[in-house]
Amino acid sequence: MPCCVKCVSSGAKRIADGVFEMFISAPEIADAARPGQFIHIKCGEERILRRPISICDVGNGIIRIVFEVRGEGSRWLFNRHEGDVLDVLGPLGNGFDIPDGRVLLAGGGIGVAPLLFVSHHRLGRCDAVLGYKGADKSAL
């Protein structure tokens, strides 16, 4: 059952060109989250629509998200500092079951981040095929 909670953030940290990670303390959401789910973050009082962001990983009541700054909402999120309180709704989406046996994970760009959560729930072998843009922003 999704819940809406006020969560404490770690602030955004740059991990690649235009890509940032943030750790959000939200034990209720982290405990209920499954691979393939996401959260909705209210990005400022003047914005009506929440921003959906995939859950990259969870552990010890903490949610890790990875996001790109693309518009006003994600820029607002980027500008949060350690200890800031966020209005977060989640976990949302159906998630998915991870089958037994060998699994191939495929993703590209920012879609690679939630594959970490999947890989941490695997008991067997997990291979990955990942794609990214090069320094000139063209697909590799």
Side-chain angles (χ1 to χ4, degrees):
M1 184 73 161
C3 63
C4 185
V5 295
K6 303 289 183 180
C7 308
V8 177
S9 116
S10 66
K13 176 185 170 192
R14 181 181 182 268
I15 58 173
D17 186 27
V19 180
F20 303 88
E21 73 177 350
M22 181 180 285
F23 294 88
I24 302 170
S25 178
E28 303 91 349
I29 296 173
D31 290 346
R34 296 177 50 221
Q37 290 187 301
F38 64 98
I39 58 175
H40 264 176
I41 302 176
K42 186 170 184 181
C43 294
E45 293 302 318
E46 65 282 353
R47 290 177 189 83
I48 297 171
L49 298 177
R50 293 172 176 269
R51 297 313 188 266
I53 301 180
S54 296
I55 297 172
C56 175
D57 207 4
V58 299
N60 299 320
I62 306 292
I63 299 167
R64 179 182 180 199
I65 60 171
V66 174
F67 64 96
E68 292 180 308
V69 175
R70 291 195 172 180
E72 292 179 28
S74 55
R75 183 163 313 285
W76 180 92
L77 185 59
F78 162 76
N79 285 315
R80 299 307 93 203
H81 300 286
E82 184 172 351
D84 282 353
V85 176
L86 302 175
D87 186 335
V88 178
L89 177 62
L92 300 170
N94 293 323
F96 47 81
D97 295 320
I98 304 168
D100 292 333
R102 192 171 176 180
V103 173
L104 174 65
L105 303 175
I110 201 69
V112 167
L115 298 180
L116 182 62
F117 193 13
V118 175
S119 71
H120 285 166
H121 281 76
R122 291 286 307 139
L123 297 177
R125 182 165 173 170
C126 196
D127 296 309
V129 176
L130 310 174
Y132 296 94
K133 291 183 179 181
D136 64 354
K137 303 295 183 197
S138 63
L140 294 176

